[in-house]
């Protein structure tokens, strides 16, 4: 429906281009977020304990496709422990888990981008309350945590998951998170939230772009049981500015892409972040 004139749109494998109705590129080294919100701006239900994204999107196939496509571009998918807990142990943060019908095309895209077979799941937690039986932890993830929680987590979590202490304090600094990602060679980072982690990332000026699906539902709100994209950070009278990069629509779902901060990453080298260009 709308695409900013300076938006780079690299070619995608045929099935992905058909489903996305065009090309897409994600700048190498960028940090981009993906959320689905109700019309009234709610992204998290039941105090953040419900698997809210699927409920709010209505498990919409187009939204699931976009989630898969965005995962397919990432070196790592960064989430807070609240998002993992809310999924109840079944979810994987891979492109093919969320949209299996395009598994081969996602793989082809990752090969063309010279990415590992799947993006690495990186979970941030201070309290370290993670369930060792979670499928994502069994499959293998990186858990970034505090010194206090690390030892217990190391003995509790499956061997496939690495536990790394990156903070002696109760909270983990955003810079420390990115240092750990960088140390492992993860440069292009997708964050799927949730609202507490996303708030901290935005407040630290770390998020370059936001892909926001607006689902045609009204969630309502009473007390603080439901909340929006950012939770626990208040920008007061200086709301963070953004600019609109693209708008797509499938039936009544809107797919919005925003730039949250001006280009802070270096200009792309020719062909970087593109497929088949
Ligand atoms: N609609 C959507 O697109 C969408 C996307 C993602 C999530 N959600 C929903 O959001 C809800 C969860 O919300 P949430 O805000 O709790 O999610 P969250 O940000 O994923 O999780 C918060 C937790 O992450 C850890 N954490 C975050 N930042 C940290 C830091 N700087 N240092 C140490 N630990 C940190 C803490 O874990 P510990 O408590 O373990 O210390 C904190 O309690 C769920 O309902 C989920 O379904 C919706």
């Amino acid at each position: 429906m709308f695409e900013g004139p300076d938006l780079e749109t690299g070619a995608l494998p045929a099935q992905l281009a058909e489903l996305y109705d065009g090309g897409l590129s994600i700048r190498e080294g960028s940090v981009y977020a993906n959320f689905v919100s109700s019309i009234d701006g709610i992204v998290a239900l039941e105090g953040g304990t419900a698997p809210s994204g699927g409920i709010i999107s209505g498990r919409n196939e187009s939204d699931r496709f976009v989630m898969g496509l965005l995962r397919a571009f990432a070196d790592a998918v960064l989430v807070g422990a609240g998002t993992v807990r809310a999924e109840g142990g079944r979810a994987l943060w891979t492109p093919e888990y969320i949209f299996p019908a395009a598994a081969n095309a996602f793989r082809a895209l990752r090969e063309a981008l010279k990415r590992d077979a799947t993006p690495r799941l990186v979970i941030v937690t201070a309290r370290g309350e993670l369930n060792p039986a979670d499928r994502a932890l069994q499959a293998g993830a990186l858990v970034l945590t505090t010194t206090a929680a690390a030892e217990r987590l190391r003995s509790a979590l499956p061997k496939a998951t690495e536990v790394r202490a990156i903070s002696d304090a109760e909270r983990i600094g955003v810079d420390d998170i990115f240092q750990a990602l960088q140390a492992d060679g993860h440069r292009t980072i997708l964050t799927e939230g949730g609202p507490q982690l996303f708030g901290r990332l935005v407040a630290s000026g770390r998020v370059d772009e936001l892909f926001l699906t607006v689902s045609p539902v009204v969630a309502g709100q009473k007390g603080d049981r439901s909340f929006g994209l950012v939770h626990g950070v208040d920008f007061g009278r200086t709301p963070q500015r953004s600019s609109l990069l693209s708008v797509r629509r499938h039936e009544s779902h809107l797919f919005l892409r925003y730039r949250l901060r001006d280009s802070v990453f270096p200009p792309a080298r020719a062909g970087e972040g593109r497929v088949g260009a």
Side-chain angles (χ1 to χ4, degrees):
M1 290 172 71
F2 163 76
E3 221 147 52
D6 56 346
L7 189 65
E8 286 179 37
T9 51
L12 293 168
Q15 185 193 8
L16 304 183
E18 196 187 323
L19 289 168
Y20 194 63
D21 195 21
L24 173 72
S25 54
I26 299 289
R27 196 78 73 96
E28 287 287 325
S30 68
V31 177
Y32 57 110
N34 183 28
F35 279 90
V36 59
S37 148
S38 65
I39 297 172
D40 52 333
I42 298 298
V43 311
L45 305 170
E46 297 173 10
T49 59
S52 310
I55 297 169
I56 290 167
S57 82
R59 295 181 66 79
N60 178 267
E61 279 297 292
S62 306
D63 185 52
R64 292 172 76 85
F65 166 68
V66 170
M67 288 175 78
L69 182 58
L70 294 175
R71 287 177 184 180
F73 275 93
D75 290 322
V77 179
L78 175 67
V79 291
T83 296
V84 176
R85 288 191 287 264
E87 287 300 321
R90 294 170 303 277
L92 294 176
W93 277 260
T94 62
E96 60 276 12
Y97 169 80
I98 201 73
F99 197 79
N104 289 337
F106 289 144
R107 210 166 295 127
L109 173 60
R110 291 189 68 79
E111 274 172 24
L113 292 168
K114 301 192 171 37
R115 301 274 192 266
D116 292 342
T118 51
R120 193 166 193 203
L121 175 65
V122 180
I123 304 168
V124 183
T125 174
R127 289 184 296 138
E129 278 185 24
L130 292 170
N131 183 350
D134 275 11
R135 206 173 151 200
L137 297 170
Q138 296 284 343
L142 169 64
V143 174
L144 301 177
T145 191
T146 60
T147 310
E151 203 173 323
R152 176 173 47 81
L153 277 173
R154 261 186 216 115
S155 56
L157 296 185
K159 289 282 165 281
T161 284
E162 182 192 344
V163 176
R164 199 177 301 165
I166 59 166
S167 171
D168 292 330
E170 259 181 42
R171 283 278 113 193
I172 299 169
V174 168
D175 287 350
D176 296 325
I177 295 171
F178 280 90
Q179 251 171 36
L181 290 166
Q182 233 168 28
D184 285 15
H186 303 318
R187 296 182 59 233
T188 305
I189 312 295
L190 166 64
T191 180
E192 293 192 13
Q196 287 186 61
L197 179 62
F198 182 66
R200 287 180 174 268
L201 299 179
V202 173
S204 312
R206 282 287 183 168
V207 185
D208 299 300
E209 290 189 20
L210 167 66
F211 289 79
L212 179 67
T213 301
V214 179
S215 176
V217 297
V218 177
Q221 193 178 3
K222 204 172 184 186
D224 56 5
R225 278 189 50 82
S226 306
F227 46 89
L229 208 53
V230 167
H231 191 55
V233 177
D234 184 353
F235 297 113
R237 291 192 179 193
T238 51
Q240 302 285 296
R241 300 179 72 86
S242 66
S243 52
L244 188 63
L245 296 178
S246 88
V247 179
R248 279 159 193 265
R249 180 184 69 88
H250 184 254
E251 295 172 351
S252 293
H253 282 72
L254 274 179
F255 296 86
L256 310 174
R257 179 179 183 179
Y258 290 97
R259 177 174 291 134
L260 287 195
R261 58 174 189 165
D262 285 329
S263 191
V264 289
F265 30 78
R269 290 190 293 272
E272 213 180 42
R274 285 169 169 244
V275 177

